[in-house]
Amino acid sequence: MTASLGRLWAIARMTLIEASRRKVFVILLLFAAALLSSVAFFPSVEMSGRLRLMEVWALRATSLFTAIIALFLSGFSLPSDFEQKRIYLIVSKPVSKSTVFLGKFGGLSLLLAIFVGAALSVAGAGFQ
């Protein structure tokens, strides 16, 4: 059981590192940070209305960018593994298909969780 979890974590870690190095992730992260930091400049009459507008804008923009990043990274993950021959390293080990799938899913999920945390912290900085 622990060997299977170790293999799962190794695949998830490899996927996380590989996906965070992609140019698409860095560009969308910078664009989302710029867009979310512009929330502080929204005009509004009352402070409570401005805070509500900032909250809604930040949540919608974060969910949109998370979906875009998930589509791009997951769509290019497996083909890039074949291109760079990383998949041969994985399948030469005693790893099941479900472990590979769950490892890739876990790695991309961790990356998206990091993105959401970073995006909401940028948006939270606009609240002060």
Side-chain angles (χ1 to χ4, degrees), residues 20-98:
S20 64
R21 290 179 181 166
R22 297 198 58 91
K23 291 178 187 176
V24 167
F25 177 71
V26 175
I27 289 170
L28 286 174
L29 185 66
L30 292 174
F31 187 68
L35 187 66
L36 289 174
S37 64
S38 69
V39 167
F41 302 109
F42 282 169
S44 184
V45 178
E46 299 175 356
M47 189 59 173
S48 63
R50 184 176 185 183
L51 288 176
R52 178 69 183 145
L53 183 64
M54 289 167 63
E55 177 187 5
V56 168
W57 178 258
L59 290 174
R60 286 184 182 170
T62 301
S63 64
L64 175 71
F65 279 107
T66 302
I68 291 171
I69 287 175
L71 285 172
F72 276 109
L73 291 181
S74 63
F76 293 124
S77 177
L78 205 55
S80 72
D81 282 351
F82 281 109
E83 265 180 26
Q84 297 177 358
K85 297 184 171 57
R86 282 188 299 257
I87 196 72
Y88 300 123
L89 176 67
I90 294 171
V91 297
S92 67
K93 308 292 183 204
V95 178
S96 67
K97 292 177 188 176
S98 61

Side-chain angles (χ1 to χ4, degrees), residues 6-23:
R7 291 182 191 123
L8 185 72
W9 172 245
I11 294 171
R13 189 178 62 209
M14 183 187 75
T15 303
L16 177 68
I17 291 169
E18 182 263 329
S20 64
R21 290 179 181 166
R22 297 198 58 91
K23 291 178 187 176

